[in-house]
């Protein structure tokens, strides 16, 4: 178990000046085995037909799955890297935002598997995703600048 489950505000701060920040992803809940975040459906996340871009949806899914694993490990000893992600886009939306809920379905010593459901603001399903993360020894010399 992680020595320190980071708060929503600590995770949000960690994500500043990254793709996550650029896409407007906001964390709602971060707990052991579950992460919820929302992302706006706007010019940053839409394709030219003004529909939610599938790539933005996958970036949201990878974000919640990665954060979920990150808070479950001892961050002083381990890093989390994505191994595989897949998604089925089963709907689209013109709502103002979508919400991703990541739930752990396998917690091994070296891999975590996440189920990620993305719904629009009206709870209509948009995407169903599965993500596998690998837990690796801390990469030394990768300090934040």
């Amino acid at each position: 178990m992680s020595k320190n489950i980071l708060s929503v505000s600590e995770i949000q701060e960690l994500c500043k000046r990254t793709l996550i920040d650029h896409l407007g992803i906001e964390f709602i809940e971060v707990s052991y085995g579950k992460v919820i975040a929302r992302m706006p459906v706007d010019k940053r996340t839409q394709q030219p037909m003004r529909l939610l871009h599938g790539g933005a949806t996958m970036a949201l899914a990878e974000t919640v799955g990665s954060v979920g694993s990150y808070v479950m490990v001892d961050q002083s000893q381990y890093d989390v890297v994505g191994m595989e992600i897949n998604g089925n886009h089963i709907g689209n939306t013109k709502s103002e935002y979508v919400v991703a809920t990541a739930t752990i379905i396998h917690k091994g010593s070296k891999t975590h598997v996440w189920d990620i459901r993305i719904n629009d603001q009206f709870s209509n399903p948009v995407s169903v995703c599965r993500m596998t993360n690998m837990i690796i020894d801390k990469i030394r010399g990768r300090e934040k600048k």
Side-chain angles (χ1 to χ4, degrees):
M1 185 168 178
S2 172
K3 288 184 176 180
N4 182 24
I5 296 281
L6 301 173
S7 70
V8 167
S9 59
E10 289 171 315
I11 292 291
Q12 205 70 55
E13 182 66 27
L14 185 65
C15 295
K16 280 192 175 178
R17 294 172 300 283
T18 68
L19 176 71
I20 298 159
D21 190 33
H22 176 73
L23 294 176
I25 296 172
E26 298 175 353
F27 294 90
I28 297 167
E29 177 184 330
V30 178
S31 59
Y32 192 87
K34 184 175 183 181
V35 175
I36 302 173
R38 74 184 214 165
M39 180 179 72
V41 179
D42 63 16
K43 64 183 179 181
R44 296 170 289 182
T45 61
Q46 291 172 326
Q47 38 104 312
M49 294 184 302
R50 302 292 176 248
L51 295 170
L52 180 61
H53 193 291
T57 303
M58 294 305 291
L60 174 61
E62 185 154 347
T63 297
V64 293
S66 295
V67 166
S69 286
Y70 183 72
V71 301
M72 292 176 73
V73 302
D74 180 342
Q75 295 105 15
S76 69
Q77 292 187 27
Y78 301 104
D79 280 322
V80 173
V81 294
M83 262 176 74
E84 192 272 342
I85 187 165
N86 68 65
N88 292 85
H89 304 307
I90 55 177
N92 210 311
T93 186
K94 291 189 178 183
S95 69
E96 294 177 20
Y97 61 87
V98 290
V99 176
T101 302
T103 308
I104 190 85
I105 56 177
H106 166 74
K107 183 190 177 290
S109 61
K110 294 293 178 188
T111 60
H112 294 172
V113 180
W114 291 86
D115 176 67
I116 303 154
R117 306 293 169 132
I118 300 175
N119 296 319
D120 69 12
Q121 73 190 74
F122 309 110
S123 298
N124 298 312
V126 173
S127 295
V128 177
C129 306
R130 174 114 347 131
M131 180 176 185
T132 303
N133 290 322
M134 186 173 8
I135 312 308
I136 62 172
D137 291 334
K138 190 81 172 165
I139 300 169
R140 303 293 174 204
R142 192 181 52 86
E143 290 77 28
K144 285 201 306 184
K145 295 182 182 194

